[in-house]
Amino acid sequence: MTFAIHGIAVARGIAIGRAVMAASSHLEVTHYLIEPDQVAREIDRVRAGRLAVIEELQRLRGDLGVDAPQELEPLLDVHLMLVQDDMLSSGVRQLISERLYNAEWALTAQLELLCRQFDEMDDEYLRDRKFDLQQVVERVLRHMRGVSSPVAAPISAPLGVQEGQHDWVVDERDAPMVLIANDLSPADMLQFKQSVFAGFVTAVGGKTSHTAIVARSMDIPAVVGARTASQLIRADDWVIIDGDAGEVIIDPSPILLEEYRFKQRQMRLERERLSRLRDTPSITIDGERIELLANIELPGDGPAAVKAGAVGVGLFRTEFLFMGRGGKVPGEEEQYRAYREALAGMQGMPVTIRTLDIGADKPLDKAQPKDYYLNPALGLRAIRFSLADPDMFRTQLRAILRAAAHGPVQLLFPMLAHVSEIRQTLALVEQASQELRERNVPQGLVKLGAMIEIPAAALTVRTFLKYFDFLSIGTNDLIQYTLAIDRADEAVSQLYDPFHPAVLRLVAEVIQATKAAGKEVCVCGEMAGDTAMTRLLLGLGLRSFSMQPAQILAIKQEVLRADTRRLEGWAQQVIDSEDPAGVLER
């Protein structure tokens, strides 16, 4: 019987094949209490598991070939950092010693505790880092059982299936395979890289989970967050993965199969056609040059962004450098090397580095109880957090200013609202620069910019324009705060509406005011990578978009088809409407 389950679409394309089930370790953990004289043995078992994982990850990292996705090495580094971090091991030791949990129970109990801390984060990207921690713990559990991989990678491709060929094959003996798992770590995916898995489905994960990042980099159709996948799909079932719709179809009928075979062929043709746009200048029909930039999370993301056709980085989220370190922040030298790496990867193109967007909802300070903050999204976060810790903030500023000596850098500040915050921020930039001068350390010139991501900033945009060289509209938070919708809360997620007239009018006002001031403005939220929004944003006057690299060519196609002279009047009609989405559909 044909049925479908739904998850989160993270990597485009359609895969059709037979299901291979990956075993899950933590779901099968046995819970029991040990005797006091068994404490040392249980701690040793965990230590052995951790050491085995460290050795395995280091070996995988050392064996990375030149054709490995750029994202894999830093992701393996993150997992190495997590498995060696004291926040995991000290808690496990405590649970074994004080509560007499068996080793596996202590590991999963500590994992749950840390995951709750991640769940309380407001930032989606940082919240998704809990999946990395889960993957690391699963790996330790597997090694404690003497199993290094959740599923054996195929020795070779089935007959008749070549690398990159994922079409439906009539002969079932030659059918591609799709992987169904609770979750997959970057290391697991690396082991599967030479296999014939046409796509994969995981029960957990989010749009910015590392599983999703690697899937996009490897161009494998994938759906994550399909929570019932492991329970409802059986080994050897025929499965269709629709990576664009976030849908997984099990036991499809012949008619449905034929329909998806046709879609698969059409998508391949479309992707081949889009790939030819990579080196085409992004210019509208009426001659407007549009800047298409990449959002990146890791210092090593630059080459992939260049390969995707980006002409620079519009948003480098530096939070990744600070997370998962047990509250310890990276020093100036470590940050400097990371920012310099990002610049080197972009080969001379500009990189916009956003200062730390972290705070009350992030695990930097584990000493605070989790309910210390009444509402983390409205509390001490982003620039507020940085201004509350000027030493930490100046360290980051010095590192960025030093990196700017190696290439063009734009320095971006998140969540400013008050003019007092603006003045304080700029004073600290000057102080950091002075500190470098006193040390005779080279530094570069930077443009200064502000994120417009809360209504207060959008409504006072002219004040911001007095102080900053450029603005960047963070539409994800702007929508959240304008509509008072927690985008992570499933109970109200249906009210999260990018087409709400209030949101569109704020975006339009910021674009128009910035252009009138003769300054630059970019949109770096999800709205920039949504083809349904491209014509509207062009009509409102936007000329700079920053998005996930995989979305660049599709947006470029929309740009090449657009005539901004014709879009201006239409865009005004859209934002004046009570139902902008309805106008867009006409």
Side-chain angles (χ1 to χ4, degrees), residues 182-197:
N182 180 61
D183 199 4
L184 289 171
S185 71
D188 287 333
M189 296 183 71
L190 181 61
Q191 290 179 311
F192 301 150
K193 191 169 74 73
Q194 301 301 326
S195 73
V196 292
F197 289 122

Side-chain angles (χ1 to χ4, degrees), residues 480-529:
Q480 171 173 263
Y481 290 122
T482 301
L483 303 182
I485 296 295
D486 183 348
R487 54 197 165 104
D489 187 340
E490 295 178 358
V492 294
S493 61
Q494 77 279 5
L495 298 174
Y496 183 84
D497 181 12
F499 295 104
H500 192 288
V503 173
L504 295 180
R505 289 170 196 170
L506 289 174
V507 171
E509 169 64 18
V510 172
I511 293 173
Q512 291 162 9
T514 310
K515 289 189 67 175
K519 296 190 176 182
E520 299 171 358
V521 59
C522 178
V523 168
C524 63
E526 289 294 318
M527 197 181 278

Side-chain angles (χ1 to χ4, degrees), residues 279-338:
D279 298 319
T280 302
S282 180
I283 300 175
T284 63
I285 291 172
D286 55 318
E288 290 283 337
R289 183 175 290 275
I290 308 302
E291 187 179 49
L292 300 182
L293 307 167
N295 294 344
I296 67 171
E297 287 83 25
L298 300 167
D301 284 348
V306 173
K307 186 178 179 181
V311 296
V313 169
L315 177 65
F316 177 13
R317 298 182 174 98
T318 59
E319 298 81 61
F320 188 82
L321 302 173
F322 291 73
M323 53 159 283
R325 307 170 63 103
K328 301 172 186 173
V329 298
E332 179 183 323
E333 188 64 25
E334 181 180 348
Q335 290 189 59
Y336 161 68
R337 290 197 301 270

Side-chain angles (χ1 to χ4, degrees), residues 26 39 47-48 95 98 206 243 247 261 276 396 483 559 583:
H26 80 272
V39 166
R47 182 183 297 115
L95 289 171
E98 298 179 4
E247 188 173 33
R261 288 176 60 194
R276 292 198 288 269
Q396 183 174 33
L483 303 182
V559 168
V583 176

